[in-house]
Amino acid sequence: MHFKHRLRDATLAGLAAFVAVLCLSYLKSWAHFMVLSAPLGATLVLLLLLPSAPLSRPRHVILGHLLTTSLAVIGLELLPDPILGLAACFGLGITLMVLTDTLHPPAGANPILIYLSGAHLPPMDFILPTLAGTLFMVAFASLYHRAFTHRRYPFAPKAAPPSSAGTAASASHGQGTGGKKLP
């Protein structure tokens, strides 16, 4: 990619990130809870710059964050020891994201954030901001890509190449060879 295109893409992504963080910061004063966090900032980087990555799909973003946040909230109640609780929630979060096909690396940091904050808030004070933040990020990425990349986010997965069994069958019937039969 030419430097001019990289500069344009980087500048647009940087400006979009500025606008997204600004909006989330104002949402905090309106909604009276913190919506912005370091894991959501990392999510925004993926959504703006690697939108076609499987881990950037809305399902992974929203459910991965909700799963790990909920797990940490439950962990605070069941495992109040910060070292044991954090380690258990972090490891279990990764395991559950893989098993539920919702793996999203930035979401793995939610138990760390929640345990290190030391805050003992009602569960919804962790879960609602996570839900609001992830829904905002997905909607923002959708608008950004429609306006600036002229593609719809989430990007559809690429079609799988035809299987070799299908090509062998068509070749044996004289198709795909210009009408000539193969030996």
Side-chain angles (χ1 to χ4, degrees):
M1 183 186 288
H2 292 291
F3 178 74
K4 185 168 77 173
H5 293 137
R6 288 183 62 205
L7 179 61
R8 181 200 64 212
D9 292 348
T11 303
L12 285 174
L15 288 172
F18 169 80
V19 170
V21 169
L22 193 64
C23 290
L24 286 174
S25 297
Y26 280 118
L27 182 62
K28 176 192 182 275
S29 62
W30 176 74
H32 303 293
F33 56 73
M34 183 54 130
V35 180
L36 188 60
S37 66
L40 286 177
T43 292
L44 185 61
V45 172
L46 288 176
L47 297 182
L48 294 177
L49 297 171
L50 298 171
S52 59
L55 305 177
S56 296
R57 292 187 186 128
R59 168 188 165 90
H60 293 255
V61 171
I62 297 166
L63 296 180
H65 276 289
L66 284 177
L67 179 74
T68 57
T69 297
S70 300
L71 191 60
V73 166
I74 293 167
L76 281 174
E77 294 299 316
L78 300 178
L79 297 167
D81 177 79
I83 296 171
L84 181 61
L86 171 57
C89 290
F90 185 74
L92 190 56
I94 291 170
T95 300
L96 290 176
M97 282 192 293
V98 170
L99 291 176
T100 59
D101 192 28
T102 57
L103 183 63
H104 183 66
N110 286 331
I112 297 170
L113 177 71
I114 290 169
Y115 266 90
L116 293 181
S117 74
H120 288 283
L121 302 170
M124 286 299 153
D125 285 357
F126 288 112
I127 295 169
L128 286 178
T130 298
L131 178 61
T134 56
L135 290 174
F136 174 84
M137 293 291 186
V138 167
F140 187 85
S142 181
L143 292 171
Y144 170 80
H145 287 291
R146 181 165 285 162
F148 297 109
T149 66
H150 308 291
R151 292 183 67 192
R152 290 180 57 151
Y153 168 81
F155 297 168
K158 293 184 179 181
S163 67
S164 59
T167 5
S170 63
S172 66
H173 290 92
Q175 297 173 357
T177 58
K180 298 178 187 172
K181 292 213 178 220
L182 295 176

